Amino acid sequence: MPEDQILFQPMGRRVRSQTDLTLLELANRAGAGIEAACGGKGRCGKCRVKIRGEALPPDESEQEVLGAEKSESCRLACQTYVRGSASVWIPEASRLHRQVILTAGNAYHVELDPGVRTLEIQVPLPDLQDPSADRERMIDTLNRSWEGDAEIEWETPLSVLRGLEEKLRSDNGRMAITADREGKILDIRPGTASACLGLAVDLGTTTVVAYLVDLSDGKVLGVQADMNPQVAEGEDVVSRISLCHQAPENLERLSRMVHECIARLAADACREAGAVPGRIFDCTVVGNTAMHHIFLGLNPAHLAMAPYTPVASGGLTVRSSELDLGLAAEARVYLPPVKAGFVGADAVAMAMALDADQTSVPTLMVDLGTNGEIVLATRDRILCCSTAAGPAFEGGHILWGMRGAPGAVDGVRLSQAGGVPVLSVIGGGAPRGICGSGLVSLVSELVAAGAITPAGAFDPGIPFPRLRDGQEGREYVLAAARETGTGRDLVLTHRDLAQLQLAKAAIHAGISLMMEELGVFRISRVLLAGAFGNYLDPACACGIRMLPGVTADRVTAVGNAAGTGAVMALVSRAQRTRAQALVDQMEYLELAVHPRFKEAYLDGMAFNG
Amino acid sequence: MADLEGIKTAIIGGKRKEITGLVQAALDENVDPHMIINDYMIEAMKEVGARFEAKKIFVPEMMIAARTMQTGLGLIKPLIAQKEGGSKKAGTVVIGTVFGDLHDIGKNLVVLMLESSGFEVHNIGENVPPEQFVKKARELNADVVGMSSLLTTGDPHVKATIEALKNSELADRVKVICGGAAVTQKYAVEVCGADGYAADAVGAVKAVQQVLAAG
C-alpha cells in the first residue's frame, strides 16, 4: 500500500500526508511556497488553495475570510488539515515565488504582412446631393484607401453595422476601421486609429506563454507566462486525453481552463504594455495536437488510439468569441496545421522558426519537454517524431524535483574528486529543489567523476564523497539541511537517476531512429529548444549521453522556438502558407510501432560508453 | 576454465559487452547449455528480480540486465534448437496493453522478464481490442494471456477483455493475468475474474508460474 501523499500543483511537489500538520506547513515541507502574510493565523486570506481530497471542514472564522469564494474545494492552506491523499492547486496569487518560464525566443526576420490591419479613413458626410447609405459611403472610401489587396468584397457583420450611423458622425466622418485581408470588417470606431494588436500563444502541456504583438510594426510589446492550469487534472498528455474520453464535461472543463488562462495572460500583457485586450484582433495558437484539440473543444480521444487520427489537421481560423478568450469581439484565432496525433503545430512552429526548410547540413531540432518533439532536417528531407520523455526534464517524478522557479538548483559543478559541489540557484539564495537543467548538470558531473555506473547506479565499488545509504538506497547529498531552504537534506536518489535515464533514453532513441531513417551518420548542428533547453548547458546534455554521436560544440540553445514560430505566423500571412508547405514536406516517423524502438530505447539507457 | 560465475555477475551488472565473450568461452569448453541457462542466467535474473523488489535497482537497470541475458541467450539458443529440435518451454504467454491505452514500457519489461525466465512470449502490442486478445491466444496456443492497463482506474477494457476470453472456447485452458498502474489485485481478480495479478515485472513472472502450477 503506497503511503498517503499530498501533491502540490503546479509545482508538482509531493509530501507525505500528515493529519497533525496544516496544508501550509506541509507545503513548506514540500518546498512548494504559499503566501502567508499573516504568518498562518488565518487572517490575511492570501493562502487560498483548491483542494481535491478529504479535509476537515472550515470553521466560522475561515468561512468569513474566504467570503464570497467559499466553496467546498477552496480553502485557506493555514487552516486546513487533510485526511489521506489529496491534490492541492496553488493559484498564481497564492504562490510565494513566481515561476520562471522561458519566454525569450530568438529574434525573427519575416516580412511584415499581418492578416488584420487598422486603417484611418475620412468618410464624407451625406448631404442632399449624395444621400447614399452610411455603409456604402464607408465602403466606397475604404476601397480607395485600402492598399495591397485587389478587389475586396467587404463584409460587414451586424455587430459592426449597429451604431455605425453614430460612430460615423461623431468625429465628422473620421474613422478607424479594422478589417481582415479577406474583407471582413472587424471593428469600427470614430476618431484616429488606435493600436491593432495580435497575440501569439505557445500552448504547452506544462506551460503557456503569450506574446503581445503590435501588428502595425511587428514589435513584441510584452510577454506573459504561466503554468498550464490543466496540470492539476493530469500531468501528461495521455492522462488528459483519457479524461476527455471519459466524459464530455471533462473536455469542456479542460478547454475552459486554458481559455481562461490565455485571457488572463492577454489581460496581463496588455496592462503592462498600456493597451487593452479589446484591441487584439488576431491570435495564433501553437501546441501539440492534444493541446490543439482540447483548446478547440475537439475530442482528442482518437489521438491515443491506433491509428492516432486527429479530428482536423489543416490550418484553421476560428472566431475568438466562440472560445471566450476576452479579445476583441470579432477577433480571429489561427491555428497552424498539425502533422500527426503526437506531432503538433508547436513542432511545425519550431521547424519554421529554425528554418528546417532551408538547411544545407543535417540539423537536429529538439524541443525538450514532457513530450519531446524532434525534427531532423537535411538538404532534401525533413523528418519529425515525438517521444514520451515524461516529466523528469521539468522536475517531475524527481524526489526533490521542481520546475524552474526561484530556489531551484539549475546548474552544478563538482570540484576535482567530487568535493563540495558548487550550485547555481535560480534567484540566488538557499536551494529548495532541483529543476531539469540542474538534474542533467548534476548527473553529468557525477558521471564524469566516475560515481555512476553506465547502467545507472551509484557505483558501489567506489567510495565517493557525499554518497550515502538513504531510505531508498544510495543517494547523493547535494546540500545539507542547514544549507537548504527547506530545512532538509537536498539529495539525488538512485530512483531519480532511473527517472532521468528513462527520459533521456526516449530522446536518444528517437534521434537514433531518425538518423537511421534518413541515413545520416553525423549531425552537423543541434538546436535545443524549449524552456529546459535554454538553460541547459550543451556540455551536460552530451555528458549524460542524450544526443547520439554529437559533441557539445555542435549544440546551441535557441530558446522558445515554438513561441517564435507563433509570432512569425501572427505577423505574416506568408509564414502561414509556409507552415502548410512545411507540414506537407515533413515526414512523420511513428515510434510507437517502430520495430526497432525497444532496441534503440535500451541502447539509449546507458549514461556513458 | 569457463567463468560461469562471471556470466551471472555480467548479467546482474548489465555488462553486455562482456557477456558474449563469457558465454562463448563456456560453450567452447562444452559446458552444458542448459546448465548455463538454468544455473547461471535464470539465477542471475532471480537475483536482479530480488534487487528490484528490494528497491536496490530500478527499471532501467533491470531492463539492461534482461537485455544482457538475452544477448547471451542468443548465442545459446541455436545450439539447443540444433540438438533437440526445439527446447522445452516453461509455457506460452500472449501479452498486450488493453484497448485505448498506449503505454508499453512496463509491459515490455514484463516481456523481457518472462522471456528471461524461459517462457515463450508473444507481445501483441498496445491498444489491443478484446477480440484481438482472443484471436491471438487461439492462434498462438497460449497458456497464459497477460494484459496491462496504466491509464484508467477500473478500466472497463480490462473487464471487457477478460470477459471476451472467459466467454470464448479458450476459457478452460487459458489463464488470465493483469497488471499495470490502473489495476489492483481486487479489481483484477474479484471484479473482473482474472486468474492472477502482479504489481510489477518480477511479480508477473511469479504470477504466471503460480497460475500455471494451479492448473
Side-chain angles (χ1 to χ4, degrees), chain A residues 499-564:
Chain A
Q499 288 295 339
L500 179 64
Q501 228 175 333
L502 293 173
K504 73 105 190 172
I507 301 288
H508 193 280
I511 298 171
S512 307
L513 294 176
M514 291 175 100
M515 290 171 73
E516 193 179 287
E517 180 75 20
L518 289 188
V520 169
F521 299 102
R522 218 184 144 69
I523 292 170
S524 302
R525 290 194 305 156
V526 179
L527 306 172
L528 285 182
F532 172 90
N534 203 41
Y535 297 109
L536 180 67
D537 182 346
C540 298
C542 295
I544 62 164
R545 205 175 149 265
M546 180 165 69
L547 308 167
V550 176
T551 48
D553 58 322
R554 303 276 172 183
V555 185
T556 318
V558 292
N560 187 1
T564 304

Side-chain angles (χ1 to χ4, degrees), chain A residues 82-126:
Chain A
V82 171
R83 299 275 169 269
S85 288
S87 159
V88 178
W89 176 259
I90 307 174
E92 177 76 35
S94 305
R95 278 175 229 160
L96 198 53
H97 310 284
R98 284 179 71 96
Q99 300 267 340
V100 176
I101 295 166
L102 182 70
T103 47
N106 359 9
Y108 66 97
H109 305 280
V110 293
E111 195 187 325
L112 189 67
D113 178 28
V116 176
R117 290 201 300 213
T118 297
L119 191 70
E120 192 184 312
I121 56 171
Q122 180 69 48
V123 183
L125 293 180

Side-chain angles (χ1 to χ4, degrees), chain B residues 47-60:
Chain B
E47 170 65 24
V48 168
R51 289 189 188 188
F52 179 79
E53 280 185 317
K55 294 190 176 144
K56 286 200 159 65
I57 62 167
F58 297 93
V59 170

Side-chain angles (χ1 to χ4, degrees), chain A residues 238-239 242 246 303-306 308 342 455-457 472 494-495 498 501-502 592 598-599 601-603 605, chain B residues 13 16-17 55-61 63-64 67 99-103 105 108 111-112 126-127 151-152:
Chain A
V238 178
S239 59
S242 161
Q246 279 165 27
L303 299 179
M305 295 175 210
Y308 322 117
F342 283 100
E472 295 201 30
H494 188 173
R495 186 197 293 271
Q501 228 175 333
L502 293 173
K598 194 171 95 179
E599 190 69 15
Y601 186 53
L602 281 161
D603 276 336
M605 212 65 87
Chain B
R16 196 160 161 250
K17 282 175 190 154
K55 294 190 176 144
K56 286 200 159 65
I57 62 167
F58 297 93
V59 170
E61 280 170 274
M63 288 173 91
I64 291 172
R67 190 160 77 138
F99 191 66
D101 197 333
L102 281 179
H103 290 89
I105 295 174
N108 290 345
V111 172
L112 276 173
E126 297 77 47
N127 193 30
L151 219 46
T152 322

Side-chain angles (χ1 to χ4, degrees), chain A residues 99-445:
Chain A
Q99 300 267 340
V100 176
I101 295 166
L102 182 70
T103 47
N106 359 9
Y108 66 97
H109 305 280
V110 293
E111 195 187 325
L112 189 67
D113 178 28
V116 176
R117 290 201 300 213
T118 297
L119 191 70
E120 192 184 312
I121 56 171
Q122 180 69 48
V123 183
L125 293 180
D127 54 29
L128 285 170
Q129 267 76 48
D130 177 14
S132 60
D134 293 340
R135 174 184 181 274
E136 277 56 40
R137 264 180 296 117
M138 177 180 77
I139 285 176
D140 200 40
T141 315
L142 255 181
N143 274 333
R144 275 180 275 119
S145 327
W146 192 268
E147 285 167 359
D149 298 304
E151 292 295 313
I152 281 190
E153 193 79 35
W154 295 101
E155 182 192 343
T156 45
L158 268 181
S159 62
V160 165
L161 283 184
R162 288 179 181 146
L164 170 64
E165 74 298 336
E166 209 180 306
K167 287 174 184 167
L168 194 146
R169 285 167 184 81
S170 73
D171 198 8
N172 294 316
R174 191 150 68 152
M175 300 179 76
I177 313 276
T178 305
D180 70 23
R181 308 291 291 273
E182 289 76 44
K184 184 177 178 189
I185 297 177
L186 307 175
D187 180 77
I188 58 170
R189 57 189 57 211
T192 50
S194 48
C196 180
L197 304 175
L199 191 74
V201 180
D202 172 17
L203 175 55
T205 311
T206 310
T207 58
V208 185
V209 187
Y211 301 79
L212 182 68
V213 180
D214 187 334
L215 292 180
S216 68
D217 58 11
K219 280 206 181 97
V220 176
L221 301 176
V223 186
Q224 291 286 324
D226 198 1
M227 309 306 295
N228 185 335
Q230 296 170 347
V231 167
E233 305 269 340
E235 287 191 341
D236 61 12
V237 168
V238 178
S239 59
R240 287 182 221 167
I241 294 176
S242 161
L243 262 180
C244 296
H245 184 44
Q246 279 165 27
E249 54 269 28
N250 291 346
L251 169 59
E252 227 169 88
R253 187 177 65 249
L254 290 181
S255 194
R256 202 168 46 238
M257 277 178 154
V258 76
H259 297 160
E260 284 168 4
C261 175
I262 292 172
R264 200 168 53 241
L265 293 176
D268 289 350
C270 284
R271 193 178 316 113
E272 284 192 12
V276 288
R279 292 302 298 173
I280 299 176
F281 290 101
D282 205 359
C283 177
T284 52
V285 177
V286 305
N288 61 50
T289 312
M291 292 301 108
H292 165 277
H293 275 46
I294 296 173
F295 171 77
L296 290 172
L298 303 176
N299 190 342
H302 287 275
L303 299 179
M305 295 175 210
Y308 322 117
T309 320
V311 175
S313 66
L316 292 173
T317 302
V318 298
R319 292 174 52 191
S320 144
S321 55
E322 292 176 281
L323 303 168
D324 221 355
L325 298 179
L327 313 179
E330 296 289 340
R332 323 170 321 158
V333 181
Y334 168 75
L335 294 101
V338 304
K339 180 65 195 174
F342 283 100
V343 174
D346 52 351
V348 176
M350 171 178 79
M352 192 161 86
L354 301 179
D355 292 332
D357 47 357
Q358 288 162 36
T359 181
S360 53
V361 293
T363 303
L364 183 72
M365 300 151 205
V366 188
D367 194 335
L368 286 167
T370 308
N371 260 15
E373 276 101 14
I374 311 174
V375 174
L376 179 57
T378 63
R379 188 191 290 269
D380 26 60
R381 288 178 76 185
I382 305 174
L383 195 62
C384 62
C385 79
S386 164
T387 176
F393 288 134
E394 299 179 58
H397 296 179
I398 302 296
L399 182 63
W400 283 100
M402 61 188 286
R403 300 205 176 98
V409 173
D410 67 347
V412 181
R413 284 276 168 273
L414 290 189
S415 58
Q416 273 182 347
V420 181
V422 181
L423 308 185
S424 155
V425 181
I426 297 178
R432 306 180 65 85
I434 186 161
C435 69
S437 55
L439 180 67
V440 172
S441 160
L442 171 59
V443 174
S444 162
E445 291 282 294

